Amino acid sequence: MTDAASSTDTAGQRVLRLGGRSFGPRQRLVMAIVNRTPDSFYDRGATWDESAAMERVHAVVGEGADIVDIGGVPAAPGAEVTIAEEIRRTVPFVAAVRAAYPEIVISVDTWRHQTARELCVAGADLINDSWGCWDERLPEVAAEYGAGLVCSHAGGLPPRTRPHRVEYGDVMADVLERTLALADRAVSRGVDPSRILIDPAHDFGKNTWHSLEVTRRLGEMAETGWPVLVSVSHKDFIGETLNAGREERLAGTLAATAVCAWLGARVFRAHQVTQTRQVLDMVSAIRGDLAPSRAVRGLA
Amino acid sequence: MVPVITGAAICPPAPLLARKLTGRDPVIPELREACTAVVTRLVRSGPEVIAVVGAARRTAIWPADGRLDLAAFAPALGGRVRGPAPPLPLPLGLGARLLDEAGYRGPRLLRSVGSDEPAAACLRLGAGLRGLGDRVGLLVMADGSARRGVRSPGYQDPRAAAFDAALERAVRGGDLEPLRAMDADLARELLAAGRAAWQVLAGSMSGRVTAAELLFSGAPFGVFYLAAWLPGHPA
């Protein structure tokens, strides 16, 4: 469509490169979650079995996912998953997905550089680290393999810990300070700047008020020019906001998705690909970035 | 040289003829192809001037370089027509686009006829078009009733089908006499906004009986469309 609708809002936004693909500022991408865990909070091991996980990949690709995000360690505290075990869970699977889908963008959800390295060898395009680069060697792996890197805000918390009495003078200021510093550091370590995203990391190192605040002010992240990834799907801040149990958070998830999209986020990590795709297409059409699928009403 | 009408192309003034307006789905490419084909026939008939005729609020001649304001229908598409000249009425704007798309660069007259213009005035306007030059082509942007069914813009009117059938018969057979006698009140009630333009056509090809090539006929969205080429004869 034309520049009229949103050129001001997307000005300064850069092309995002993931794998062999390039995505413009007006494209809103769905990153489908595929867990190789027996105990992740939402799906509770539904794709623990490798064939079930591959079925999930087939399904989400069919539903229009742009990226699959494969992880072997839940974010929540729990039984330790060693590096060897994480590799065992994810590396052969990433290789299998790469073989099945040479073009799909593969993201890997890990914070450990050893795992990340094996995953990059197996074909991963993006290292999705939710823990604020706790492992300082992640950027060098991304740089070495030409992979992308997600620079997220966990408020300085170690991996797999929950926030406890966290406080911020200004949570968005902290998000910006930390994620931009991580992005700059990644660039200095040789990561391709067009492959770096920033992520406020809802719920990570944040109480519900903080997550609502970073959602409300997400535009401040988009204004930096770095592509923004959000991961809100079924998270606790939605549950607490709506007093909704784990099975009751889809409407809240989609509402938060729409607001983030409106405010400039470009990648959306999601469990429900079809609904997320519809929300993003609707927002894109409202913004004037995407033509309606089929318009006849009043035009005959 | 005796002036001739080289022929008349007939297309519906439906906004969805503009490809972008239907979004990502072309929706009805066959209608656009039919319109392109009849306009191409018109251009190839060798007119020295083409008159685009369509019904609008008032009878007027519009600037030949006028354009359709697509943004009036789809603001997100931008391209709002600005400047001293007002945007063209829909039928003329669509007609101008069709001429542009057919690669026509010759002189054009954009002639609107007021929807309430009585038949006699329409016929006179049509006869006047014959005097535009030695070889005059016509692009008539007109269609039938918008009350063909319950899903039509104007809901269903049981009289609509017969009205449109008469219209189609006249065009198909090249016998334009019934157009001269079109009932303006009935046409208004049936949301047949093209009535005045049809009568301009009848006035311009007065007395001619020429079988048309009908490339499209139907009411796919509850509005009756024709895409046709009426070959001309010396006036």
Side-chain angles (χ1 to χ4, degrees):
Chain A
M1 301 182 60
T2 65
D3 294 335
S6 58
S7 59
T8 51
D9 300 313
T10 52
Q13 282 281 324
R14 311 154 195 183
V15 168
L16 170 63
R17 294 197 169 78
L18 296 171
R21 303 188 55 194
S22 294
F23 302 96
R26 293 178 187 176
Q27 287 177 274
R28 297 177 173 85
L29 312 181
V30 179
M31 170 188 272
I33 298 165
V34 181
N35 286 318
R36 296 288 295 120
T37 55
D39 51 357
S40 280
F41 81 101
Y42 179 69
D43 57 47
R44 298 174 167 233
T47 52
W48 174 230
D49 178 68
E50 178 158 340
S51 65
M54 189 54 89
E55 282 306 311
R56 162 91 179 146
V57 171
H58 296 326
V60 299
V61 169
E63 291 168 11
D66 304 286
I67 304 166
V68 292
D69 186 50
I70 297 163
V73 184
E80 187 193 353
V81 180
T82 62
I83 290 172
E85 171 63 8
E86 186 185 15
I87 287 173
R88 192 190 70 75
R89 290 180 181 184
T90 54
V91 170
F93 184 68
V94 164
V97 173
R98 176 50 75 223
Y101 295 99
E103 303 296 325
I104 192 85
V105 176
I106 299 178
S107 165
V108 289
D109 181 349
T110 185
W111 77 88
R112 295 189 282 215
H113 80 274
Q114 300 93 331
T115 313
R117 179 184 302 278
E118 297 304 316
L119 288 165
C120 285
V121 170
D125 302 305
L126 175 65
I127 300 168
N128 179 19
D129 165 35
S130 299
W131 294 103
C133 222
W134 186 261
D135 180 339
E136 294 189 355
R137 296 186 64 187
L138 271 183
E140 71 186 58
V141 174
E144 182 180 349
Y145 291 93
L149 183 65
V150 177
C151 298
S152 51
H153 175 270
L157 286 193
R160 303 194 69 192
T161 58
R162 293 198 173 112
H164 184 55
R165 301 177 183 172
V166 288
E167 53 183 285
Y168 298 95
D170 178 339
V171 63
M172 183 47 90
D174 199 69
V175 167
L176 288 170
E177 185 183 330
R178 289 178 188 266
T179 56
L180 297 183
L182 289 176
D184 287 343
R185 201 177 76 192
V187 172
S188 73
R189 301 277 166 87
V191 180
D192 179 351
S194 68
R195 297 176 186 274
I196 293 173
L197 299 105
I198 56 175
D199 173 6
H202 290 78
D203 276 2
F204 283 65
K206 297 169 194 70
N207 66 32
T208 290
W209 298 99
H210 294 139
S211 292
L212 293 171
E213 174 82 359
V214 298
T215 307
R216 182 184 314 120
R217 294 172 59 188
L218 198 85
E220 295 176 39
M221 295 188 77
E223 283 165 13
T224 67
W226 293 105
V228 176
L229 177 149
V230 290
S231 176
V232 300
S233 195
H234 300 274
K235 279 186 171 171
D236 282 345
F237 81 98
I238 294 169
E240 288 197 345
T241 298
L242 301 178
N243 189 24
R246 285 211 181 94
E247 307 302 318
E248 304 167 330
R249 299 178 183 175
L250 180 57
T253 295
L254 297 176
T257 297
V259 170
C260 290
W262 184 261
L263 293 176
R266 292 166 60 180
V267 181
F268 301 79
R269 186 171 179 272
H271 294 95
Q272 279 82 12
V273 172
T274 299
Q275 290 92 332
T276 303
R277 180 85 266 158
Q278 286 187 337
V279 166
L280 297 181
D281 285 354
M282 197 68 210
V283 170
S284 294
I286 292 168
R287 288 186 59 92
D289 292 339
L290 178 71
S293 178
R294 181 181 194 275
V296 174
R297 182 178 177 74
L299 298 172
Chain B
M1 187 172 177
V2 183
V4 299
I5 295 288
T6 64
I10 297 165
C11 295
L16 53 68
L17 276 191
R19 168 63 190 88
K20 282 185 173 176
L21 286 181
T22 61
R24 286 172 280 151
D25 187 338
V27 175
I28 187 155
E30 61 274 26
L31 176 64
R32 292 195 195 95
E33 286 159 16
C35 291
T36 299
V38 299
V39 172
T40 300
R41 292 294 307 268
L42 169 64
V43 171
R44 287 188 185 155
S45 69
E48 65 187 63
V49 56
I50 291 179
V52 183
V53 178
R57 283 187 189 195
R58 60 192 174 93
T59 298
I61 291 173
W62 298 75
D65 59 353
R67 289 193 296 124
L68 178 68
D69 190 9
L70 264 192
F73 298 92
L77 293 177
R80 177 69 74 177
V81 173
R82 297 177 201 281
L88 296 176
L90 172 66
L92 300 187
L94 286 170
R97 279 175 67 97
L98 286 168
L99 291 182
D100 292 343
E101 287 164 7
Y104 179 72
R105 301 281 177 268
R108 63 179 70 174
L109 177 81
L110 305 180
R111 155 61 82 189
S112 65
V113 53
S115 297
D116 294 330
E117 237 14 295
C122 297
L123 295 170
R124 263 199 314 278
L125 277 175
L129 295 177
R130 289 201 298 260
L132 284 178
D134 290 334
R135 297 179 57 80
V136 179
L138 300 178
L139 173 52
V140 179
M141 302 298 296
D143 54 4
S145 172
R147 303 196 63 176
R148 287 295 296 262
V150 293
R151 295 181 62 82
S152 291
Y155 197 66
Q156 188 167 39
D157 187 306
R159 300 169 295 176
F163 179 90
D164 289 338
L167 189 60
E168 180 182 335
R169 219 165 26 246
V171 172
R172 188 187 290 278
D175 174 9
L176 304 184
E177 280 304 306
L179 301 184
R180 305 170 72 92
M182 255 181 166
D183 182 336
D185 292 331
L186 178 63
R188 193 179 309 110
E189 289 169 22
L190 294 179
L191 300 183
R195 187 274 310 171
W198 287 116
Q199 292 188 315
V200 172
L201 170 67
S204 70
M205 298 183 86
S206 165
R208 299 274 70 82
V209 179
T210 321
E213 294 171 36
L214 216 55
L215 273 65
F216 189 97
S217 168
F221 308 108
V223 184
F224 183 65
Y225 301 149
L226 286 173
W229 167 244
L230 277 169
H233 288 301

